[in-house]
Amino acid sequence: MIRYHKSHTIITGLLAGILLFSLNLPLRASGQVQYVGPGQYLHIDNKFDTGHRFSISEAPYIASVHNGYVEGIYPGLTAITYEDTGKIAREYIGVKGLLPSNPYLRVGQKQALYLFGVPKSSISRWTSSNPSVASVSRKGILLGRSTGTAQISCHLKNGDQFHTVVDVISRNLRDESIDQKVAQATEEEEEYGNILLSCQETTFFMKKKDSYKPKVTVRKLNGRRTTPELTWTTSDSSVAKVDALGKIRAVGGGIATITCQADDQSLEFSVNVITGGESGGSCKLTLLTGSPSKKRNYTLFKQNAHNYSSYDNYLAWHGCAHCSLATVLGAYNQDYEGIKPNEIISGIEKKYADPKAWSREHEQHSLRYQMPLSLHGISSLLEKGKVSNEYVPFFSYDEARADIINHLKTGNPVIIEVRQKSSKTGKSSRRWTNSYHTMIFLGIFTDGKVLLCDSVNRSWYDGGQRYKIVTIDDVMEYMFTSKRTTTSYYYDGASSDGGYIKIFDE
């Protein structure tokens, strides 16, 4: 991961053409975009510092690398290339700002401004310092009205601002400086590639016979959309097929990578076709996530399988949290791949939990009074296991629903806690539990349903039990927010054990 640092240095770019990228992704994993502003810095993590040689492999005018920092120079997208264990790896860097930067207009000409690296929903308003020279609409459309200069500002809801200066010249004036800028941009296109492919979603969960067409955006360096010929291919036609227009069709269970190619640029999509399910004590499930595609090898457990060599009765009563932790930890850290719930107790939990608390829960208490791991405990042990995550203890329903859906679209799971009480009706139900229960959203389907990892069998569910396909609201109805924080690894009351945990790919 790359951390964010501020600088007072202000660097203004002078190029007319730059790379545009329309994704809005979290500040996390390799293979996704991490953002910084012009004149600001991103610090490269220590795990990447030693023995690596960094270089800007694309569009070096966007950012630079020196002394372990990435400096944002000019709005757009670039990539840092470095060698990691003999393989070439990349970190994608997005520099936030208004595009095109310092545009030239003729009187009467219109130009759309684009705020790169920031969601449109974050924009509050646009203003011009001199509307008689250049006005700007609510949607960021410039209009040259008379010769002169004006500063255009984009104001965000959080108070941040981005600025650019527009020069408006006479309708009939021939200006050599404009010709020079166009020529310079053309040279950059030839050297660094003249298009960029992007898509807001790159991981898809599908059921057999489902179809879906990703919305791929193709832009030139000057920011304008273009329509080059796209070539679509699949890595496994027995799992997923794709036609010449990019429509993906799920054929059979498994994983496949769909590739979209245009000129020398390509974009990968991870496709997971889910069929059937498993109902035994445990099962394996391999999923593809991200772009480029990355395999995740999950092991899903049944808490009352009664096949654990130790802590068997404890897991039957309280093992949902340990099952969920083992599933995620094993998928996100190869050192723990295949780890079992009972091995969590005797291994990483015993190592990092308070010794008295661990002994109380696993050696002293009778089964009835033992407690499962809390969400805080799960999050803490994931961090100890080098799995990046964010515990969200407090939430409102609508905000949490949107947050979880957006996170699942990145291909990364969410660990959740439910109870028997419905947040909608206030009535008790045994649909998911008769007390409290921990489960995992593994992904979201193209039709909006979710893939749910559940350590308990449900008589009402017609299909495999270890993972189920359900609506997100059917589960979230029983989620609940915390009312206070806790530092306990173990459940110490509903008021401190609500919320959810987002897992990140780092």
Side-chain angles (χ1 to χ4, degrees), residues 17-190:
I18 35 67
L19 289 170
L20 279 177
F21 198 74
S22 61
L23 288 178
N24 175 29
L25 297 174
L27 302 180
R28 298 279 178 172
S30 175
Q32 295 181 342
V33 182
Q34 305 182 73
Y35 291 106
V36 65
Q40 297 175 338
Y41 289 84
L42 293 171
H43 179 246
I44 304 171
D45 250 1
N46 292 332
K47 65 181 179 180
F48 294 140
D49 281 349
T50 305
H52 292 98
R53 291 186 177 181
F54 292 87
S55 64
I56 296 290
S57 63
E58 298 175 5
Y61 53 88
I62 299 293
S64 64
V65 180
H66 49 86
N67 297 327
Y69 288 86
V70 179
E71 179 185 10
I73 299 175
Y74 193 86
L77 179 74
T78 188
I80 302 172
T81 299
Y82 58 92
E83 186 174 338
D84 185 15
T85 62
K87 297 181 180 179
I88 299 299
R90 281 183 173 183
E91 290 283 349
Y92 289 95
I93 305 299
V95 181
K96 296 182 286 187
L98 289 175
L99 301 174
S101 181
N102 305 115
Y104 276 68
L105 294 178
R106 297 184 186 275
V107 174
Q109 182 183 357
K110 290 185 177 181
Q111 170 72 61
L113 288 179
Y114 172 73
L115 182 55
F116 176 82
V118 179
K120 287 183 179 180
S121 59
S122 300
I123 298 175
S124 173
R125 58 193 175 95
W126 297 80
T127 59
S128 171
S129 65
N130 196 345
S132 64
V133 172
S135 61
V136 61
S137 73
R138 293 181 302 171
K139 294 184 178 181
I141 307 298
L142 287 175
L143 173 61
R145 294 184 176 274
S146 63
T147 58
T149 62
Q151 177 174 281
I152 305 300
S153 301
C154 180
H155 304 259
L156 303 189
K157 295 175 182 178
N158 65 1
D160 290 345
Q161 298 180 23
F162 291 88
H163 310 283
T164 190
V165 175
V166 58
D167 288 281
V168 182
I169 63 174
S170 170
R171 187 189 305 270
N172 300 316
L173 180 64
R174 185 74 179 179
D175 192 322
E176 292 183 1
S177 66
I178 295 179
D179 295 335
Q180 292 172 359
K181 285 178 177 290
V182 172
Q184 189 176 23
T186 302
E187 291 177 2
E188 294 291 347
E189 289 182 1
E190 293 175 352

Side-chain angles (χ1 to χ4, degrees), residues 301 307-312 314-315 319 322-323 326 338-349 358 362:
F301 299 94
N307 61 355
Y308 301 110
S309 59
S310 55
Y311 308 104
D312 192 67
Y314 170 86
L315 291 170
H322 288 83
C323 289
I339 189 171
K340 296 178 180 179
N342 59 300
E343 293 169 340
I344 291 284
I345 297 173
S346 59
I348 191 171
E349 179 187 342
W358 185 93
H362 298 297

Side-chain angles (χ1 to χ4, degrees), residues 279-353:
S279 296
S282 66
C283 71
K284 303 288 186 180
L285 181 63
T286 298
L287 300 177
L288 276 185
T289 63
S291 179
S293 298
K294 177 183 291 185
K295 280 187 179 181
R296 293 289 179 198
N297 297 314
Y298 288 95
T299 304
L300 284 55
F301 299 94
K302 182 181 181 183
Q303 68 180 78
N304 62 344
H306 293 296
N307 61 355
Y308 301 110
S309 59
S310 55
Y311 308 104
D312 192 67
N313 289 330
Y314 170 86
L315 291 170
W317 277 62
H318 310 294
C320 58
H322 288 83
C323 289
S324 298
L325 174 56
T327 295
V328 173
L329 182 60
Y332 276 74
N333 186 334
Q334 292 184 349
D335 292 339
Y336 291 98
E337 185 171 340
I339 189 171
K340 296 178 180 179
N342 59 300
E343 293 169 340
I344 291 284
I345 297 173
S346 59
I348 191 171
E349 179 187 342
K350 187 174 183 179
K351 181 177 180 180
Y352 292 108

Side-chain angles (χ1 to χ4, degrees), residues 278-283 285 299-304 319-321 323-324 327 416 418 430-433 436-442 451-461 464-470 475:
E278 301 286 342
S279 296
S282 66
C283 71
L285 181 63
T299 304
L300 284 55
F301 299 94
K302 182 181 181 183
Q303 68 180 78
N304 62 344
C320 58
C323 289
S324 298
T327 295
I416 62 171
V418 296
R430 293 194 175 188
R431 183 165 182 79
W432 296 108
T433 180
Y436 297 89
H437 188 54
T438 310
M439 299 185 288
I440 311 169
F441 288 138
L442 290 174
L451 183 64
L452 180 72
C453 171
D454 185 6
S455 61
V456 173
N457 290 354
R458 311 289 172 185
S459 59
W460 51 263
Y461 185 77
Q465 293 291 335
R466 295 291 66 78
Y467 51 91
K468 303 172 174 69
I469 301 174
V470 297
V475 183

